[in-house]
PDB file of all heavy atoms in Angstrom:
ATOM      1  N   THR A   4     -22.502 -33.428  47.234  1.00 90.00           N
ATOM      2  CA  THR A   4     -21.124 -33.377  46.742  1.00 90.00           C
ATOM      3  C   THR A   4     -20.974 -32.126  45.880  1.00 90.00           C
ATOM      4  O   THR A   4     -21.962 -31.558  45.416  1.00 90.00           O
ATOM      5  CB  THR A   4     -20.804 -34.597  45.863  1.00 90.00           C
ATOM      6  OG1 THR A   4     -21.661 -34.554  44.718  1.00 90.00           O
ATOM      7  CG2 THR A   4     -21.020 -35.900  46.614  1.00 90.00           C
ATOM      8  N   GLU A   5     -19.728 -31.737  45.645  1.00 92.00           N
ATOM      9  CA  GLU A   5     -19.499 -30.565  44.791  1.00 92.00           C
ATOM     10  C   GLU A   5     -20.001 -30.822  43.376  1.00 92.00           C
ATOM     11  O   GLU A   5     -20.512 -29.931  42.710  1.00 92.00           O
ATOM     12  CB  GLU A   5     -18.007 -30.219  44.778  1.00 92.00           C
ATOM     13  CG  GLU A   5     -17.551 -29.626  46.102  1.00 92.00           C
ATOM     14  CD  GLU A   5     -16.034 -29.493  46.165  1.00 92.00           C
ATOM     15  OE1 GLU A   5     -15.329 -30.383  45.634  1.00 92.00           O
ATOM     16  OE2 GLU A   5     -15.572 -28.518  46.741  1.00 92.00           O
ATOM     17  N   ALA A   6     -19.872 -32.077  42.906  1.00 93.00           N
ATOM     18  CA  ALA A   6     -20.322 -32.394  41.549  1.00 93.00           C
ATOM     19  C   ALA A   6     -21.844 -32.239  41.441  1.00 93.00           C
ATOM     20  O   ALA A   6     -22.353 -31.679  40.463  1.00 93.00           O
ATOM     21  CB  ALA A   6     -19.900 -33.811  41.173  1.00 93.00           C
ATOM     22  N   SER A   7     -22.589 -32.700  42.468  1.00 93.00           N
ATOM     23  CA  SER A   7     -24.051 -32.577  42.371  1.00 93.00           C
ATOM     24  C   SER A   7     -24.479 -31.130  42.563  1.00 93.00           C
ATOM     25  O   SER A   7     -25.475 -30.675  42.003  1.00 93.00           O
ATOM     26  CB  SER A   7     -24.764 -33.521  43.346  1.00 93.00           C
ATOM     27  OG  SER A   7     -24.198 -33.470  44.617  1.00 93.00           O
ATOM     28  N   LEU A   9     -22.818 -28.624  41.362  1.00 95.00           N
ATOM     29  CA  LEU A   9     -22.663 -28.035  40.020  1.00 95.00           C
ATOM     30  C   LEU A   9     -23.837 -28.433  39.118  1.00 95.00           C
ATOM     31  O   LEU A   9     -24.280 -27.643  38.294  1.00 95.00           O
ATOM     32  CB  LEU A   9     -21.343 -28.492  39.383  1.00 95.00           C
ATOM     33  CG  LEU A   9     -20.078 -27.749  39.822  1.00 95.00           C
ATOM     34  CD1 LEU A   9     -18.841 -28.365  39.167  1.00 95.00           C
ATOM     35  CD2 LEU A   9     -20.167 -26.265  39.479  1.00 95.00           C
ATOM     36  N   LEU A 196     -15.736 -23.278  41.925  1.00 95.00           N
ATOM     37  CA  LEU A 196     -15.416 -24.653  41.515  1.00 95.00           C
ATOM     38  C   LEU A 196     -14.976 -24.696  40.054  1.00 95.00           C
ATOM     39  O   LEU A 196     -14.011 -25.374  39.706  1.00 95.00           O
ATOM     40  CB  LEU A 196     -16.640 -25.564  41.701  1.00 95.00           C
ATOM     41  CG  LEU A 196     -16.978 -25.929  43.147  1.00 95.00           C
ATOM     42  CD1 LEU A 196     -18.309 -26.667  43.216  1.00 95.00           C
ATOM     43  CD2 LEU A 196     -15.875 -26.799  43.745  1.00 95.00           C
ATOM     44  N   ASP A 199     -11.491 -23.524  39.737  1.00 94.00           N
ATOM     45  CA  ASP A 199     -10.538 -24.552  40.168  1.00 94.00           C
ATOM     46  C   ASP A 199     -10.330 -25.583  39.059  1.00 94.00           C
ATOM     47  O   ASP A 199      -9.188 -25.968  38.754  1.00 94.00           O
ATOM     48  CB  ASP A 199     -11.053 -25.289  41.419  1.00 94.00           C
ATOM     49  CG  ASP A 199     -10.989 -24.429  42.672  1.00 94.00           C
ATOM     50  OD1 ASP A 199     -10.554 -23.263  42.561  1.00 94.00           O
ATOM     51  OD2 ASP A 199     -11.391 -24.929  43.747  1.00 94.00           O
ATOM     52  N   VAL A 200     -11.442 -26.034  38.462  1.00 95.00           N
ATOM     53  CA  VAL A 200     -11.353 -27.040  37.401  1.00 95.00           C
ATOM     54  C   VAL A 200     -10.533 -26.480  36.233  1.00 95.00           C
ATOM     55  O   VAL A 200      -9.612 -27.122  35.728  1.00 95.00           O
ATOM     56  CB  VAL A 200     -12.763 -27.455  36.916  1.00 95.00           C
ATOM     57  CG1 VAL A 200     -12.678 -28.309  35.659  1.00 95.00           C
ATOM     58  CG2 VAL A 200     -13.505 -28.210  38.023  1.00 95.00           C
ATOM     59  N   LEU A 203      -6.733 -26.033  37.227  1.00 94.00           N
ATOM     60  CA  LEU A 203      -5.993 -27.281  37.435  1.00 94.00           C
ATOM     61  C   LEU A 203      -5.968 -28.128  36.165  1.00 94.00           C
ATOM     62  O   LEU A 203      -5.010 -28.880  35.937  1.00 94.00           O
ATOM     63  CB  LEU A 203      -6.587 -28.048  38.616  1.00 94.00           C
ATOM     64  CG  LEU A 203      -6.356 -27.336  39.969  1.00 94.00           C
ATOM     65  CD1 LEU A 203      -7.113 -28.029  41.094  1.00 94.00           C
ATOM     66  CD2 LEU A 203      -4.870 -27.274  40.301  1.00 94.00           C
ATOM     67  N   TRP A 209      -5.773 -32.396  34.242  1.00 95.00           N
ATOM     68  CA  TRP A 209      -6.781 -33.231  34.882  1.00 95.00           C
ATOM     69  C   TRP A 209      -8.155 -32.967  34.278  1.00 95.00           C
ATOM     70  O   TRP A 209      -8.434 -31.860  33.810  1.00 95.00           O
ATOM     71  CB  TRP A 209      -6.865 -32.928  36.383  1.00 95.00           C
ATOM     72  CG  TRP A 209      -5.630 -33.259  37.155  1.00 95.00           C
ATOM     73  CD1 TRP A 209      -4.580 -34.042  36.731  1.00 95.00           C
ATOM     74  CD2 TRP A 209      -5.288 -32.793  38.461  1.00 95.00           C
ATOM     75  NE1 TRP A 209      -3.614 -34.101  37.693  1.00 95.00           N
ATOM     76  CE2 TRP A 209      -4.016 -33.353  38.768  1.00 95.00           C
ATOM     77  CE3 TRP A 209      -5.916 -31.987  39.396  1.00 95.00           C
ATOM     78  CZ2 TRP A 209      -3.381 -33.115  39.978  1.00 95.00           C
ATOM     79  CZ3 TRP A 209      -5.283 -31.753  40.610  1.00 95.00           C
ATOM     80  CH2 TRP A 209      -4.031 -32.308  40.899  1.00 95.00           C
ATOM     81  N   SER A 210      -9.037 -33.963  34.352  1.00 96.00           N
ATOM     82  CA  SER A 210     -10.430 -33.788  33.920  1.00 96.00           C
ATOM     83  C   SER A 210     -11.210 -33.111  35.051  1.00 96.00           C
ATOM     84  O   SER A 210     -10.719 -33.016  36.187  1.00 96.00           O
ATOM     85  CB  SER A 210     -11.064 -35.130  33.598  1.00 96.00           C
ATOM     86  OG  SER A 210     -11.233 -35.862  34.799  1.00 96.00           O
ATOM     87  N   GLU A 211     -12.445 -32.686  34.748  1.00 95.00           N
ATOM     88  CA  GLU A 211     -13.289 -32.097  35.788  1.00 95.00           C
ATOM     89  C   GLU A 211     -13.478 -33.068  36.954  1.00 95.00           C
ATOM     90  O   GLU A 211     -13.338 -32.694  38.122  1.00 95.00           O
ATOM     91  CB  GLU A 211     -14.643 -31.695  35.197  1.00 95.00           C
ATOM     92  CG  GLU A 211     -15.561 -31.053  36.223  1.00 95.00           C
ATOM     93  CD  GLU A 211     -16.970 -30.781  35.668  1.00 95.00           C
ATOM     94  OE1 GLU A 211     -17.797 -31.711  35.663  1.00 95.00           O
ATOM     95  OE2 GLU A 211     -17.213 -29.639  35.234  1.00 95.00           O
ATOM     96  N   ALA A 212     -13.776 -34.328  36.623  1.00 94.00           N
ATOM     97  CA  ALA A 212     -14.017 -35.314  37.682  1.00 94.00           C
ATOM     98  C   ALA A 212     -12.758 -35.502  38.532  1.00 94.00           C
ATOM     99  O   ALA A 212     -12.839 -35.654  39.759  1.00 94.00           O
ATOM    100  CB  ALA A 212     -14.459 -36.643  37.067  1.00 94.00           C
ATOM    101  N   GLU A 213     -11.602 -35.476  37.878  1.00 95.00           N
ATOM    102  CA  GLU A 213     -10.346 -35.649  38.631  1.00 95.00           C
ATOM    103  C   GLU A 213     -10.095 -34.459  39.561  1.00 95.00           C
ATOM    104  O   GLU A 213      -9.665 -34.645  40.704  1.00 95.00           O
ATOM    105  CB  GLU A 213      -9.179 -35.840  37.655  1.00 95.00           C
ATOM    106  CG  GLU A 213      -9.148 -37.241  37.048  1.00 95.00           C
ATOM    107  CD  GLU A 213      -8.174 -37.370  35.874  1.00 95.00           C
ATOM    108  OE1 GLU A 213      -7.889 -36.352  35.200  1.00 95.00           O
ATOM    109  OE2 GLU A 213      -7.717 -38.497  35.631  1.00 95.00           O
ATOM    110  N   VAL A 214     -10.383 -33.265  39.094  1.00 95.00           N
ATOM    111  CA  VAL A 214     -10.189 -32.090  39.958  1.00 95.00           C
ATOM    112  C   VAL A 214     -11.120 -32.174  41.160  1.00 95.00           C
ATOM    113  O   VAL A 214     -10.707 -31.967  42.308  1.00 95.00           O
ATOM    114  CB  VAL A 214     -10.451 -30.778  39.178  1.00 95.00           C
ATOM    115  CG1 VAL A 214     -10.454 -29.589  40.131  1.00 95.00           C
ATOM    116  CG2 VAL A 214      -9.412 -30.592  38.083  1.00 95.00           C
ATOM    117  N   LEU A 215     -12.415 -32.502  40.916  1.00 94.00           N
ATOM    118  CA  LEU A 215     -13.389 -32.526  42.007  1.00 94.00           C
ATOM    119  C   LEU A 215     -13.132 -33.676  42.973  1.00 94.00           C
ATOM    120  O   LEU A 215     -13.606 -33.653  44.116  1.00 94.00           O
ATOM    121  CB  LEU A 215     -14.815 -32.594  41.448  1.00 94.00           C
ATOM    122  CG  LEU A 215     -15.255 -31.370  40.624  1.00 94.00           C
ATOM    123  CD1 LEU A 215     -16.666 -31.555  40.091  1.00 94.00           C
ATOM    124  CD2 LEU A 215     -15.160 -30.078  41.440  1.00 94.00           C
ATOM    125  N   ALA A 216     -12.380 -34.682  42.531  1.00 94.00           N
ATOM    126  CA  ALA A 216     -12.066 -35.807  43.426  1.00 94.00           C
ATOM    127  C   ALA A 216     -10.998 -35.419  44.443  1.00 94.00           C
ATOM    128  O   ALA A 216     -10.821 -36.102  45.452  1.00 94.00           O
ATOM    129  CB  ALA A 216     -11.604 -37.023  42.597  1.00 94.00           C
ATOM    130  N   VAL A 217     -10.282 -34.334  44.184  1.00 94.00           N
ATOM    131  CA  VAL A 217      -9.265 -33.871  45.132  1.00 94.00           C
ATOM    132  C   VAL A 217      -9.954 -33.014  46.197  1.00 94.00           C
ATOM    133  O   VAL A 217     -10.812 -32.184  45.876  1.00 94.00           O
ATOM    134  CB  VAL A 217      -8.196 -33.028  44.382  1.00 94.00           C
ATOM    135  CG1 VAL A 217      -7.185 -32.452  45.357  1.00 94.00           C
ATOM    136  CG2 VAL A 217      -7.506 -33.877  43.324  1.00 94.00           C
ATOM    137  N   SER A 218      -9.631 -33.186  47.476  1.00 93.00           N
ATOM    138  CA  SER A 218     -10.303 -32.442  48.549  1.00 93.00           C
ATOM    139  C   SER A 218     -10.019 -30.940  48.394  1.00 93.00           C
ATOM    140  O   SER A 218      -8.973 -30.563  47.851  1.00 93.00           O
ATOM    141  CB  SER A 218      -9.807 -32.920  49.908  1.00 93.00           C
ATOM    142  OG  SER A 218      -8.498 -32.429  50.114  1.00 93.00           O
ATOM    143  N   PRO A 219     -10.943 -30.079  48.875  1.00 91.00           N
ATOM    144  CA  PRO A 219     -10.762 -28.634  48.704  1.00 91.00           C
ATOM    145  C   PRO A 219      -9.423 -28.137  49.263  1.00 91.00           C
ATOM    146  O   PRO A 219      -8.775 -27.285  48.647  1.00 91.00           O
ATOM    147  CB  PRO A 219     -11.945 -28.037  49.472  1.00 91.00           C
ATOM    148  CG  PRO A 219     -12.989 -29.099  49.409  1.00 91.00           C
ATOM    149  CD  PRO A 219     -12.252 -30.400  49.455  1.00 91.00           C
ATOM    150  N   GLY A 220      -8.993 -28.677  50.398  1.00 93.00           N
ATOM    151  CA  GLY A 220      -7.738 -28.216  50.994  1.00 93.00           C
ATOM    152  C   GLY A 220      -6.543 -28.524  50.092  1.00 93.00           C
ATOM    153  O   GLY A 220      -5.682 -27.670  49.839  1.00 93.00           O
ATOM    154  N   ARG A 221      -6.489 -29.745  49.587  1.00 95.00           N
ATOM    155  CA  ARG A 221      -5.366 -30.133  48.710  1.00 95.00           C
ATOM    156  C   ARG A 221      -5.443 -29.380  47.386  1.00 95.00           C
ATOM    157  O   ARG A 221      -4.428 -29.023  46.802  1.00 95.00           O
ATOM    158  CB  ARG A 221      -5.395 -31.647  48.464  1.00 95.00           C
ATOM    159  CG  ARG A 221      -5.124 -32.425  49.729  1.00 95.00           C
ATOM    160  CD  ARG A 221      -4.325 -33.700  49.499  1.00 95.00           C
ATOM    161  NE  ARG A 221      -4.934 -34.619  48.552  1.00 95.00           N
ATOM    162  CZ  ARG A 221      -5.424 -35.806  48.898  1.00 95.00           C
ATOM    163  NH1 ARG A 221      -5.411 -36.191  50.143  1.00 95.00           N
ATOM    164  NH2 ARG A 221      -5.917 -36.600  47.980  1.00 95.00           N
ATOM    165  N   ARG A 222      -6.691 -29.100  46.968  1.00 94.00           N
ATOM    166  CA  ARG A 222      -6.859 -28.360  45.705  1.00 94.00           C
ATOM    167  C   ARG A 222      -6.243 -26.966  45.820  1.00 94.00           C
ATOM    168  O   ARG A 222      -5.572 -26.493  44.911  1.00 94.00           O
ATOM    169  CB  ARG A 222      -8.357 -28.268  45.400  1.00 94.00           C
ATOM    170  CG  ARG A 222      -8.677 -28.317  43.927  1.00 94.00           C
ATOM    171  CD  ARG A 222     -10.155 -28.126  43.728  1.00 94.00           C
ATOM    172  NE  ARG A 222     -10.946 -29.264  44.166  1.00 94.00           N
ATOM    173  CZ  ARG A 222     -12.179 -29.169  44.666  1.00 94.00           C
ATOM    174  NH1 ARG A 222     -12.760 -27.998  44.809  1.00 94.00           N
ATOM    175  NH2 ARG A 222     -12.831 -30.245  45.028  1.00 94.00           N
ATOM    176  N   TYR A 225      -2.563 -27.255  45.445  1.00 95.00           N
ATOM    177  CA  TYR A 225      -2.160 -27.474  44.046  1.00 95.00           C
ATOM    178  C   TYR A 225      -2.278 -26.183  43.241  1.00 95.00           C
ATOM    179  O   TYR A 225      -1.449 -25.901  42.385  1.00 95.00           O
ATOM    180  CB  TYR A 225      -3.016 -28.568  43.389  1.00 95.00           C
ATOM    181  CG  TYR A 225      -2.584 -29.969  43.756  1.00 95.00           C
ATOM    182  CD1 TYR A 225      -3.458 -30.854  44.386  1.00 95.00           C
ATOM    183  CD2 TYR A 225      -1.297 -30.423  43.452  1.00 95.00           C
ATOM    184  CE1 TYR A 225      -3.074 -32.127  44.718  1.00 95.00           C
ATOM    185  CE2 TYR A 225      -0.891 -31.706  43.786  1.00 95.00           C
ATOM    186  CZ  TYR A 225      -1.786 -32.560  44.426  1.00 95.00           C
ATOM    187  OH  TYR A 225      -1.392 -33.825  44.751  1.00 95.00           O
TER     188      TYR A 225
END
Side-chain angles (χ1 to χ4, degrees):
T4 63
E5 288 171 323
S7 46
L9 279 177
L196 286 172
D199 288 1
V200 170
L203 292 173
W209 295 345
S210 69
E211 181 186 83
E213 284 168 334
V214 171
L215 296 179
V217 176
S218 74
R221 294 216 303 248
R222 214 184 289 148
Y225 281 121

